[in-house]
């Protein structure tokens, strides 16, 4: 590919790929039943005159001034810590056009992005990021882990720096103009439209790519080209969108990087969370007595992508790095099941069973990794307890004994709590 062979080349002629067939493919890849934007148009309504709508969109997008990027509709969803995360919902038509632009730019940036980056990239997943963290720490026999937390990252991306980064590779006038309009489109909230001078709203189709381009330059390339050559020991970086983690063999290296990190991020308008950005002593536990004068708190733990990483003894008595469901994620999942069962306690048991199976399969599909079987089993047991509780509250006469509940589970069995991503499963199904 041209992008791979010419890493310093800026592409000036990309918009000619944007034709009706390209937009049809973008439409095919766009979710049709998502939340609607400020115009209230659904994917189904847009499809009633699909070709006419796409032709109109194509002409406006290429003409320049005729295309007006509508503001995104802001909603807030709860986070695990009780706070709210703002999401920006574009119109359906904007989702299609943004998808078309992502299809143009993704092949270029996939040649540039480094192996440390895993979020929102084709063929890459959170499980691959978790495996790289585990393998990197295992090779170093533990070490020092620097958790990097960027405060309100998507809201603080600097537009000037972003345009500079994009201009290194994308110099096509049509594409640059479209991205600029999306950045300046504004946000509709409580009936009022505001125009933030920074940020890229979460929820937009193009936002994940933009966020990756920004941190690719700010963090990934800097760590690879400037930090790594100056270190005394081994180190690695793993990033999934704005969640980043660094592992160091040498404590001095870790503390030096931690000291310069705020200045590096501040240069590009980003701020690190002072409490959530922390250095963890993750050295392999030892049975030997510690040296006098050396104060160590022992092997620490850290969370990444919903898993707590910690040292534990294997069945053979060796120290190994394990990953288990983080307490906050476990509690959040249990709470969601409890709320759903309470709200749907009068739903037919067969329908409840179908929905619970879908929920458990989704939970096991993500958290079902090697070494996490205890947490999976505990979660399934908790779901069974909650199901019995809310079935018993259908009426005064509905209380179910455990014997009755076991009979119901024979008729409506729940999925087994298995580690879908375990090494044994992969070996059995190469």
């Amino acid at each position: 590919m041209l992008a791979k062979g010419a890493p310093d080349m800026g592409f000036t002629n990309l918009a000619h790929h944007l034709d009706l067939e390209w937009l049809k493919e973008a439409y095919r890849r766009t979710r049709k039943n998502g939340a609607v934007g400020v115009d209230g148009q659904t994917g189904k309504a847009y499809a009633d005159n699909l070709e006419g709508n796409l032709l109109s969109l194509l002409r406006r997008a290429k003409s320049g001034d005729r295309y007006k990027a509508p503001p995104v509709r802001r909603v807030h969803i709860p986070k695990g810590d009780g706070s709210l995360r703002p999401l920006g919902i574009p119109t359906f038509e904007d989702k299609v056009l943004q998808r078309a632009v992502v299809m143009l730019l993704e092949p270029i940036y996939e040649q540039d992005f480094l192996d440390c980056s895993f979020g929102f990239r084709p063929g890459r997943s959170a499980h691959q990021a978790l495996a790289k963290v585990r393998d990197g720490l295992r090779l170093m026999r533990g070490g020092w882990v620097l958790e990097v937390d960027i405060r309100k990252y998507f809201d603080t991306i600097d537009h000037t720096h972003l345009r500079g980064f994009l201009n290194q590779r994308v110099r096509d006038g049509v594409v640059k103009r479209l991205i600029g309009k999306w950045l300046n489109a504004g946000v509709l909230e409580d009936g009022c439209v505001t125009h933030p001078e920074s940020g890229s709203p979460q929820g937009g189709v193009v936002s994940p790519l933009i966020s990756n381009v920004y941190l690719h330059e700010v963090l990934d390339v800097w760590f690879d080209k400037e930090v790594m050559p100056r270190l005394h020991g081994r180190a690695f970086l793993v990033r999934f969108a704005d969640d980043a983690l660094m592992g160091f063999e040498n404590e001095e290296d870790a503390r030096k990087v931690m000291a310069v990190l705020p200045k590096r991020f501040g240069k590009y308008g980003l701020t690190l969370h002072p409490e959530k950005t922390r250095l963890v002593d993750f050295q392999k536990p030892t049975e030997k007595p510690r040296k006098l004068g050396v104060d160590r708190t022992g092997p620490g733990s850290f969370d990444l992508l919903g898993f707590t990483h910690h040292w534990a003894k294997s069945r053979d008595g060796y120290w190994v790095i394990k990953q288990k469901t983080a307490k906050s994620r476990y509690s959040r999942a249990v709470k969601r099941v409890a709320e759903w069962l309470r709200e749907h306690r009068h739903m037919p048991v067969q329908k409840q069973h179908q929905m619970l199976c879908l929920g458990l399969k989704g939970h096991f599909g993500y958290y079902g990794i090697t070494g996490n079987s205890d947490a999976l089993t505990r979660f399934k047991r908790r779901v069974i307890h909650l199901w019995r509780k809310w079935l018993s509250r259908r009426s005064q006469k509905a209380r179910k004994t455990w014997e009755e509940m076991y009979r119901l589970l024979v008729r409506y069995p729940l999925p087994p709590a298995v580690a879908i991503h375990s090494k044994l499963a992969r070996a059995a199904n190469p």
Side-chain angles (χ1 to χ4, degrees):
M1 176 180 273
L2 185 58
K4 185 174 184 178
D8 298 322
M9 177 181 175
F11 288 81
T12 59
N13 191 17
L14 293 170
H16 74 277
H17 292 290
L18 281 174
D19 56 20
L20 182 59
E21 292 305 314
W22 193 276
L23 286 183
K24 284 183 177 179
E25 177 60 21
Y27 167 81
R28 188 187 68 80
R29 298 187 188 186
T30 302
R31 182 182 172 190
K32 311 301 187 296
N33 60 347
V36 298
V38 295
D39 62 355
Q41 187 176 49
T42 64
K44 183 179 180 181
Y46 195 83
D48 289 341
N49 182 26
L50 181 60
E51 188 154 332
N53 287 331
L54 293 180
L55 277 172
S56 172
L57 176 61
L58 181 62
R59 295 190 189 104
R60 285 181 282 127
K62 288 198 171 184
S63 67
D65 294 338
R66 289 181 59 198
Y67 172 75
K68 306 292 184 183
V72 298
R73 182 172 66 88
R74 173 161 285 176
V75 297
H76 296 270
I77 61 172
K79 296 171 63 177
D81 58 5
S83 61
L84 296 176
R85 183 193 304 277
L87 287 181
I89 303 174
T91 63
F92 182 80
E93 185 172 70
D94 249 21
K95 293 176 184 178
V96 173
L97 188 54
Q98 288 186 26
R99 175 61 61 195
V101 170
V102 169
M103 288 162 54
L104 282 176
L105 301 185
E106 201 170 62
I108 297 173
Y109 283 108
E110 276 302 304
Q111 307 304 316
D112 297 348
F113 291 157
L114 305 183
D115 286 340
C116 63
S117 168
F118 291 88
F120 304 111
R121 293 181 59 188
R124 290 182 163 242
S125 68
H127 291 106
Q128 291 174 332
L130 291 165
K132 185 160 185 176
V133 169
R134 184 188 62 241
D135 294 343
L137 289 170
R138 188 164 51 200
L139 283 173
M140 297 190 305
R141 300 172 66 83
W144 296 82
V145 170
L146 178 54
E147 295 180 273
V148 181
D149 188 279
I150 307 172
R151 176 177 281 171
K152 296 182 178 179
Y153 170 61
F154 284 88
D155 294 334
T156 55
I157 294 175
D158 184 272
H159 290 178
T160 301
H161 287 301
L162 175 60
R163 289 189 181 96
F165 295 151
L166 290 169
N167 197 56
Q168 296 174 21
R169 287 299 243 168
V170 182
R171 297 173 192 168
D172 181 282
V174 172
V175 175
K176 288 173 62 176
R177 185 166 55 243
L178 288 173
I179 293 176
K181 289 185 177 184
W182 290 325
L183 291 174
N184 298 319
V187 176
L188 175 65
E189 186 174 12
D190 297 328
C192 181
V193 177
T194 58
H195 296 270
E197 296 181 358
S198 61
S200 177
Q202 284 181 273
V205 178
V206 78
S207 291
L209 179 63
I210 285 177
S211 69
N212 268 339
V213 170
Y214 204 79
L215 283 182
H216 168 74
E217 298 290 345
V218 173
L219 180 59
D220 302 354
V221 173
W222 172 73
F223 187 84
D224 185 63
K225 303 297 183 184
E226 297 186 37
V227 174
M228 288 287 289
R230 292 179 170 87
L231 301 180
H232 298 291
R234 291 177 291 184
F236 66 87
L237 165 69
V238 170
R239 181 175 65 81
F240 192 95
D242 60 329
D243 290 322
L245 179 142
M246 302 176 187
F248 300 89
E249 184 178 29
N250 185 289
E251 179 183 0
E252 184 181 358
D253 288 341
R255 295 196 179 278
K256 285 183 177 179
V257 174
M258 187 177 183
V260 302
L261 210 53
K263 184 177 180 181
R264 172 66 184 179
F265 277 78
K267 179 181 177 180
Y268 296 97
L270 303 177
T271 305
L272 295 178
H273 196 292
E275 297 175 0
K276 295 181 181 179
T277 298
R278 65 187 188 113
L279 188 62
V280 178
D281 179 355
F282 200 71
Q283 298 174 99
K284 183 179 179 179
T286 177
E287 310 295 342
K288 297 179 181 178
R290 295 171 180 167
K291 297 179 181 179
L292 293 176
V294 177
D295 183 19
R296 291 280 185 255
T297 58
S301 64
F302 61 91
D303 289 355
L304 180 69
L305 299 175
F307 289 88
T308 297
H309 300 65
H310 63 105
W311 285 100
K313 286 285 187 74
S314 69
R315 292 180 179 178
D316 297 327
Y318 298 105
W319 285 108
V320 294
I321 298 172
K322 289 193 174 184
Q323 298 163 318
K324 63 181 180 180
T325 309
K327 288 182 179 179
S328 60
R329 295 292 187 92
Y330 177 86
S331 299
R332 194 188 315 172
V334 169
K335 183 180 179 181
R336 281 200 300 265
V337 173
E339 290 175 348
W340 187 90
L341 285 169
R342 176 175 58 83
E343 294 171 3
H344 299 86
R345 60 182 178 273
H346 296 297
M347 179 182 284
V349 173
Q350 183 180 9
K351 185 64 176 177
Q352 286 184 344
H353 173 251
Q354 291 173 357
M355 299 304 293
L356 288 174
C357 285
L358 287 175
L360 283 169
K361 287 178 180 177
H363 187 89
F364 299 156
Y366 185 75
Y367 292 103
I369 66 172
T370 302
N372 198 33
S373 296
D374 288 347
L376 302 182
T377 301
R378 189 168 70 253
F379 180 72
K380 180 178 177 179
R381 287 174 180 166
R382 185 64 179 141
V383 169
I384 292 172
H385 276 259
L386 288 169
W387 196 12
R388 173 178 175 265
K389 171 185 174 180
W390 289 108
L391 285 175
S392 297
R393 295 192 181 186
R394 287 175 178 245
S395 68
Q396 292 182 345
K397 298 180 179 180
R399 181 167 181 81
K400 283 195 175 297
T401 65
W402 274 110
E403 184 179 352
E404 292 171 327
M405 190 65 194
Y406 291 141
R407 286 201 298 268
L408 183 142
L409 288 171
V410 171
R411 185 177 180 184
Y412 297 107
L414 295 176
V418 295
I420 296 173
H421 302 279
S422 73
K423 297 175 182 176
L424 292 176
R426 288 195 297 270
N429 300 282

